[in-house]
Amino acid sequence: MSLDSLIDIKNSMDKKEIITVVGAGGKTSFIDSIAQIYRKKSRVLLTTTTKIFVPCEASYENMILLDDISEEELSNLNFVKGITVCGKCINEDNKIVGIDFKDLKKLEDKFDLILIEGDGSKKKKLKGWNDNEPIVYENTTKTIAILDITSYNMKINEENIHRLDKFIDQIGYKNNLYKKLNKGVDVSDLVKIVLNKKALFKNSKGERVLFINKVENNGREAIAREIMKSIIEKDENIKLYFGSIKQNTCTLYK
């Protein structure tokens, strides 16, 4: 199956989806891929509640920066099929600053598909979560969490993991034990990150979906299946997929 199998919208566009994407190891790529799939047949809003780099101009039709328009102008905007990128402003790091829930509500009815990046990971494959993140819009219909399979066996250190201290706490290691062991990330660590209520799916709304990314060979698939088997034994209410954003493939775990 292709990546759009994770989205319920049909060609008739009779059902609106508001999707918040969280996690690490492919969030922006996932959102961009889904947006391009629906670009010609839907009114797509691409936005963030955190910060994202400005996409290339060829990848969207419109950009709205809310600091540059009035409330009246915003309410009068109408959109046709294509991708609209929206943020509060562009900062000095060339990042789009996210919008708040109040402004999202004003835009919601103008689009068929809303894709929100609700988490930041500093381009690292794993992260730990602060108390105020991820930031998930209250009307989200589906929270899709991205987990990078290539983080398996990666050394647990500052170089590889965003907010290392939070990550260590959330996988249950105490007293810097991971340093003494020179530990690599194992299957149980990845399962804990998914299931810990303070981690990957914290603040989730709507249906919970896990996508294990970069599963591009039999070895990685075996690891992904081991992770998903452990998850589903403890929580049957997470829909599980594995595949590759790069290759536009996904498989539902059964």
Side-chain angles (χ1 to χ4, degrees):
M1 298 188 294
S2 60
L3 288 174
D4 60 323
S5 302
L6 279 73
I7 312 300
D8 288 339
I9 290 181
K10 311 301 182 190
N11 288 336
S12 63
M13 301 309 301
D14 58 355
K15 180 181 178 182
K16 181 190 297 290
E17 283 276 25
I18 303 174
I19 295 166
T20 299
V21 183
V22 300
K27 293 186 305 295
T28 302
S29 296
F30 177 83
I31 287 172
D32 289 344
S33 296
I34 295 296
Q36 294 305 319
I37 289 169
Y38 285 96
R39 185 175 187 175
K40 292 183 178 179
K41 55 187 175 183
S42 312
R43 298 170 299 165
V44 180
L45 175 65
L46 195 160
T47 189
T48 181
T49 53
T50 57
K51 296 183 181 74
I52 55 172
F53 281 107
V54 177
C56 68
E57 289 188 11
S59 69
Y60 61 88
E61 277 67 42
N62 308 295
M63 180 178 290
I64 303 171
L65 298 175
L66 298 184
D67 279 0
D68 295 340
I69 64 174
S70 67
E71 292 268 343
E72 183 179 359
E73 287 173 316
L74 180 62
S75 64
N76 289 331
L77 287 174
N78 290 300
F79 301 92
V80 295
K81 293 174 183 178
I83 297 171
T84 297
V85 178
C86 182
K88 182 178 175 60
C89 61
I90 297 175
N91 68 13
E92 63 277 4
D93 297 321
N94 199 39
K95 285 187 173 182
I96 296 174
V97 177
I99 63 178
D100 60 29
F101 291 178
K102 174 175 65 73
D103 289 322
L104 261 171
K105 279 191 173 69
K106 294 173 185 174
L107 291 164
E108 189 176 316
D109 290 338
K110 298 177 183 291
F111 295 93
D112 307 306
L113 173 62
I114 299 175
L115 299 166
I116 307 165
E117 188 163 327
D119 215 347
S121 58
K122 300 291 186 182
K123 295 188 174 181
K124 296 185 179 181
K125 295 180 180 181
L126 283 176
K127 67 171 290 185
W129 283 263
N130 275 337
D131 292 342
N132 65 336
E133 59 177 6
I135 303 172
V136 181
Y137 179 47
E138 58 199 65
N139 290 341
T140 293
T141 58
K142 194 187 300 284
T143 302
I144 299 180
I146 307 296
L147 186 67
D148 186 338
I149 195 66
T150 65
S151 64
Y152 171 75
N153 211 29
M154 183 178 70
K155 293 298 183 185
I156 300 176
N157 58 35
E158 293 277 3
E159 181 180 353
N160 291 328
I161 298 173
H162 182 45
R163 297 206 178 95
L164 178 63
D165 57 334
K166 295 289 186 182
F167 177 85
I168 292 166
D169 180 60
Q170 287 156 12
I171 61 174
Y173 285 91
K174 305 295 182 183
N175 301 318
N176 292 326
L177 177 62
Y178 78 99
K179 289 183 178 178
K180 296 176 184 177
L181 296 176
N182 194 27
K183 189 182 182 311
V185 175
D186 61 25
V187 166
S188 67
D189 296 331
L190 295 174
V191 171
K192 288 172 186 174
I193 281 298
V194 175
L195 296 177
N196 189 318
K197 296 185 185 302
K198 295 182 178 180
L200 189 58
F201 279 108
K202 187 178 71 171
N203 302 330
S204 63
K205 304 292 183 185
E207 184 180 21
R208 292 180 297 159
V209 177
L210 176 69
F211 180 72
I212 302 182
N213 187 28
K214 301 181 185 176
V215 180
E216 295 160 359
N217 58 49
N218 291 338
R220 291 179 184 176
E221 180 176 335
I223 298 164
R225 287 187 177 277
E226 186 178 351
I227 293 166
M228 292 184 290
K229 181 176 184 293
S230 295
I231 291 168
I232 208 163
E233 286 172 353
K234 298 177 176 67
D235 190 339
E236 296 180 348
N237 295 315
I238 302 174
K239 202 166 186 178
L240 305 173
Y241 292 86
F242 63 88
S244 168
I245 296 169
K246 182 179 179 181
Q247 297 178 355
N248 188 26
T249 59
C250 74
T251 299
L252 175 65
Y253 178 77
K254 297 180 181 179

